[in-house]
Amino acid sequence: MPAAAYAGKECVCQYNKGICDQTCVKDMLETPFYIACLKLKGRRCVVIGGGAMGLEKSEGLLACGGDVTVISPDAGPELEALAAEGSITWEQRDYVGPEDLEAVFIVIACTDSTETNIQIYEDAEKRAMLVNIVDVPPLCNFILPAIVRTGPLAIAISTAGASPALAKRMKREIGELFGEEYAQLAIMLNETRGWAKGTLPTYQDRKAFFEEIVGGEPDPIALLRDGDAAAVQDLIAAAQRSHAPVA
């Protein structure tokens, strides 16, 4: 699989340097990336390339409800099993061209061919599609951060490609800091959103209501860590009484 650009390595991007001088990644640390959460449920997502990397990318898309197609002559046993059970579609062939990207929302490629990777990137760019060629920054219009996922919560961590090892450490530490109780509180607060929208007339009123619960005393996170969800419900009920408009 292609690796990140580094000085002295054979060039793997569209700049065709012959030997990499890192021209393609010099602006990565200064690039202000626009962070967004994509809704993939039911959308066509294509992974071009198999093996361990194709499996990793396919599983990430599947976890978010994507309709995943893998294009690769060889997929590997895990991807073949996903195809056999109907979780993905596997087209056992090489990438053909733009027709493989028709009606596709996002494409991720991890082929061994620099020429193919460049073609995929250029074909996707012409369609204003989301495209990521794994470990080749100049052949990407988006990057994939490390994700800490607990229930409805998702925390993204990015070092702009500077250090995946550091991102991995941060992912582990953040996962330990923001555990299941945060996801539980998020669900409880979401159940109160309908009341807040229907009862509190302004954005500022709703903001004050939720901030009183999240930042108040006793601490709802501490209560949930102690297994006392009922006390958190009492906090929410008390906030509703104090913020409800006087009739």
Side-chain angles (χ1 to χ4, degrees), residues 42-66:
R43 293 184 182 272
R44 287 198 63 211
C45 307
V46 169
V47 175
I48 303 173
M53 188 59 69
L55 175 65
E56 176 188 325
K57 302 308 179 185
S58 296
E59 288 182 332
L61 295 169
L62 283 174
C64 296

Side-chain angles (χ1 to χ4, degrees), residues 83-175:
E85 70 186 27
S87 294
I88 66 169
T89 299
W90 174 32
E91 299 190 8
Q92 192 174 3
R93 58 177 176 81
D94 289 316
Y95 177 74
V96 174
E99 54 266 41
D100 284 335
L101 304 182
E102 289 302 320
V104 172
F105 181 68
I106 185 172
V107 58
I108 301 175
C110 51
T111 83
D112 294 317
S113 168
T114 294
E115 181 180 349
T116 300
N117 289 336
I118 292 172
Q119 182 185 355
I120 294 166
Y121 171 76
E122 292 178 346
D123 289 344
E125 278 283 277
K126 288 175 183 176
R127 286 159 177 73
M129 287 175 54
L130 291 170
V131 55
N132 179 286
I133 309 300
V134 177
D135 283 341
V136 189
L139 296 181
C140 303
N141 58 26
F142 75 97
I143 60 174
L144 292 166
I147 301 293
V148 177
R149 199 181 300 276
T150 306
L153 299 183
I155 303 172
I157 304 141
S158 174
T159 61
S163 177
L166 178 58
K168 185 176 180 180
R169 171 178 172 170
M170 293 172 67
K171 176 180 177 179
R172 182 181 67 251
E173 294 180 356
I174 289 172

